[in-house]
Amino acid sequence: MTDSRTAPYASLLLRLTLGILFLAHFSLKFFVFTPAGTAKFFASLGLPGGLAYLTMAVELVGAIALILGIYSRIVAIVLIPILLGAIFTVHGPAGFFFTNPNGGWEFPAFWIVGLLALALTGDGKYAIKPTPFKG
């Protein structure tokens, strides 16, 4: 049985954690690898270089939306393809464990599960804009 007194805080914690992780990954691409370097990396994978800029924009906007609690359920679902792309292009071929060279797919897959859990539970406490779905 879900404890209705604490569940909203669990969703808040999950929402903030996921948002901070996406903000960190955006920051890595923007400040360390640079947007041009990230685009070059995407091109080296056979992807359009411009997809890097779209990915970075979705990560940044998604991170902010999650942290603030703006349409969290929708944002969580929208962010999943970014992680699936990371699994299928980089991390999947590296094997399961994230400690493998090029990082395996365990962390991005776990991250997807967290996003799915947030999509199912909702915004939680202190959300600026609750999602339009009630359940």
Side-chain angles (χ1 to χ4, degrees):
M1 182 70 164
T2 302
D3 186 336
S4 61
R5 295 169 299 151
T6 58
Y9 294 99
S11 291
L12 167 66
L13 181 62
L14 185 56
R15 192 184 84 222
L16 291 175
T17 302
L18 291 167
I20 290 167
L21 283 171
F22 271 104
L23 192 58
H25 278 261
F26 162 79
S27 297
L28 179 68
K29 289 176 185 73
F30 190 82
F31 295 110
V32 177
F33 301 140
T34 74
T38 303
K40 191 179 284 189
F41 176 69
F42 273 51
S44 77
L45 297 171
L47 299 169
L51 186 59
Y53 298 100
L54 177 62
T55 298
M56 290 169 52
V58 171
E59 286 179 342
L60 177 61
V61 172
I64 293 168
L66 289 178
I67 290 167
L68 297 177
I70 301 171
Y71 296 108
S72 303
R73 289 180 168 191
I74 295 168
V75 172
I77 297 300
V78 167
L79 288 168
I80 289 172
I82 297 217
L83 295 165
L84 288 172
I87 289 171
F88 287 112
T89 59
V90 178
H91 299 295
F96 177 74
F97 292 105
F98 205 70
T99 54
N100 293 347
N102 292 326
W105 57 271
E106 74 173 309
F107 178 67
F110 186 68
W111 202 348
I112 289 170
V113 172
L115 288 168
L116 288 171
L118 182 63
L120 291 170
T121 60
D123 299 302
K125 284 297 234 186
Y126 309 116
I128 288 180
K129 174 85 171 123
T131 60
F133 307 109
K134 300 286 180 181

